[in-house]
Amino acid sequence: MSAPKPTIRDIASASGFSRSAVSLALRNDPSIPENTRNQIKQVAEELGYQQNPYVNSFMAQLRRNRPVKDHATIGLVNTHPYSYLSSNELSWVLRRLIKGAEKRAAELGYKTEECWLGQPHMTAARMYSILKARSIRGLFILPLHSSRGRFSMPLDRFASVTVGYALIHPPMYRVCNHHFTSFTEAFEELRRLGYRRIGIAMHKAQDTRTSHILISSYLGMQHVYQTRSPVAPHVVNKVTTENLIDWVEKEKPDAIISSLNTIPEMLQAAGYRLPEDIGFASLNWDPKYPQHSGIDLCYELIGSSAIDMISAQLMRNEYGLPENPRTNMTMGKWVAGQTTRPRSRK
């Protein structure tokens, strides 16, 4: 007959702490000093204690249905020089991220509040004080205003997640589109449509902002298909009609993949017909251009995933920067438009 499994009562007896202190320590509750938590966890490990996932899930649901002051609001940190509430000035990417985040937060019982770090005269120290005063413990750090930047506000008391690869320091949990797969999906779709000389055009800043993932995927596809005379990538400081057309005339691509939704206009201004002369697939499909083919990066789902990650940290009482940050990647989906050939019917 196997020995009975140790309980919280056993851990309390062995460690000399109360059962309530043991329970809180095993849930990483910040009300218990870190040294005490570590001591209790050490005793629990020595006794062979294992938490019951079904009980943990049930208790987490109870806490979610009983709002806790410290967990009630998730801050949406905006580093841009304009408020996300100014929808006429805000990029559609941020609006879609926020829409998904707000919807998921409401489903989980959280409120959301703009934390406008980029507003005039706001400092990291002042924002930290504001968040602390408002008992905001979860932070969704929206894409930085700069291509590659640092976040200076301390994150020691927050459960936090950022978007994409623009934030390079500090290392933290992040959500993003699966850029590598998005590019390969666009490339493969173009090949299914009969395109063979497929090129990529992008700003250097976009290449940097995505941590060179897109160009890596492009070169990988050239290797997979062992292209004898591959189309050189067009990665420049700024893509203009002039340098784009010079590149097209030199490399002769029959299709272009790009995050720049102005590419079709540039081509048409130079006399090219889409898709008769050249095809176009957007890596950042925008509903403002419904005629474009390309990949919808599903920003609402990315925003929703950020809230899920923050909520999970709050339920586990995990605050501060993780030792081994994880990245949650969301798949995009192909949208068939008028800038690529229609798929032939067999």
Side-chain angles (χ1 to χ4, degrees):
M1 184 181 233
S2 60
K5 295 181 179 180
T7 64
I8 287 180
R9 184 192 297 272
D10 298 325
I11 299 171
S13 177
S15 65
F17 293 100
S18 67
R19 279 180 287 174
S20 61
V22 169
S23 177
L24 291 171
L26 294 177
R27 287 191 280 117
N28 292 313
D29 195 293
S31 65
I32 304 298
E34 183 177 4
N35 289 339
T36 302
R37 275 182 275 153
N38 291 337
Q39 184 178 345
I40 290 173
K41 289 178 182 179
Q42 179 64 34
V43 172
E45 183 177 350
E46 292 172 355
L47 292 176
Y49 174 77
Q50 291 183 327
Q51 299 191 54
N52 188 317
Y54 296 104
V55 172
N56 289 346
S57 177
F58 175 71
M59 294 305 296
Q61 184 64 40
L62 285 180
R63 290 191 291 272
R64 182 179 298 136
N65 292 335
R66 186 179 60 229
V68 179
K69 181 179 178 183
D70 284 353
H71 294 180
T73 302
I74 293 176
L76 307 178
V77 181
N78 177 17
T79 64
H80 290 248
Y82 42 79
S83 169
Y84 77 72
L85 298 176
S86 305
S87 59
N88 60 323
E89 297 179 354
L90 183 65
S91 78
W92 66 277
V93 171
L94 291 184
R95 287 199 296 272
R96 290 183 67 186
L97 284 169
I98 292 165
K99 180 180 178 181
E102 290 179 335
K103 181 176 183 295
R104 184 57 176 160
E107 291 172 349
L108 295 179
Y110 294 99
K111 297 178 182 179
T112 57
E113 181 176 330
E114 178 185 21
C115 304
W116 189 9
L117 187 56
Q119 65 181 295
H121 311 299
M122 178 59 70
T123 65
R126 184 182 174 198
M127 178 59 70
Y128 183 86
S129 298
I130 292 173
L131 295 172
K132 186 176 180 181
R134 295 179 182 175
S135 297
I136 295 176
R137 303 301 297 274
L139 296 181
F140 179 22
I141 302 173
L142 297 166
L144 297 189
H145 186 54
S146 58
S147 293
R148 299 284 275 175
R150 297 171 178 267
F151 193 77
S152 58
M153 193 185 78
L155 294 170
D156 56 294
R157 68 185 308 274
F158 303 106
S160 56
V161 170
T162 190
V163 185
Y165 299 96
L167 193 155
I168 60 174
H169 186 81
M172 58 189 302
Y173 292 130
R174 68 182 71 239
V175 292
C176 63
N177 174 261
H178 199 310
H179 294 294
F180 195 95
T181 300
S182 290
F183 185 91
T184 57
E185 182 177 358
F187 195 98
E188 295 281 12
E189 187 63 35
L190 289 174
R191 285 191 59 86
R192 282 191 287 269
L193 294 173
Y195 296 98
R196 291 297 177 266
R197 289 192 60 76
I198 302 169
I200 183 173
M202 61 194 304
H203 297 324
K204 284 185 178 179
Q206 178 67 15
D207 181 39
T208 302
R209 193 177 183 90
T210 56
S211 198
H212 313 295
I213 293 174
L214 299 179
I215 197 68
S216 298
S217 183
Y218 177 63
L219 296 175
M221 286 294 95
Q222 290 185 342
H223 171 73
V224 168
Y225 291 102
Q226 298 180 344
T227 308
R228 292 184 179 179
S229 57
V231 179
H234 186 57
V235 183
V236 293
N237 288 330
K238 183 178 182 180
V239 177
T240 64
T241 300
E242 182 178 3
N243 62 41
L244 176 70
I245 300 307
D246 286 344
W247 171 71
V248 168
E249 292 179 350
K250 177 183 178 182
E251 297 294 334
K252 303 291 190 296
D254 59 3
I256 298 173
I257 300 176
S258 178
S259 299
L260 302 171
N261 287 306
T262 54
I263 294 287
E265 297 176 11
M266 296 180 184
L267 293 171
Q268 289 167 343
Y272 287 91
R273 299 171 302 163
L274 282 77
E276 293 83 359
D277 299 327
I278 192 166
F280 171 75
S282 173
L283 280 177
N284 193 14
W285 185 84
D286 186 339
K288 291 189 298 185
Y289 302 93
Q291 73 277 18
H292 290 179
S293 298
I295 302 293
D296 182 352
L297 299 186
C298 301
Y299 289 109
E300 290 86 356
L301 289 177
I302 295 174
S304 176
S305 295
I307 299 301
D308 282 337
M309 291 185 76
I310 294 169
S311 177
Q313 291 175 70
L314 292 173
M315 289 301 166
R316 296 192 300 265
N317 289 305
E318 292 182 4
Y319 302 102
L321 296 171
E323 183 176 352
N324 298 105
R326 297 190 299 272
T327 298
N328 182 304
M329 293 187 283
T330 298
M331 302 287 286
K333 61 181 181 180
W334 174 259
V335 178
Q338 301 169 21
T339 57
T340 53
R341 304 165 185 160
R343 184 174 292 184
S344 61
R345 296 181 180 179
K346 296 183 179 180

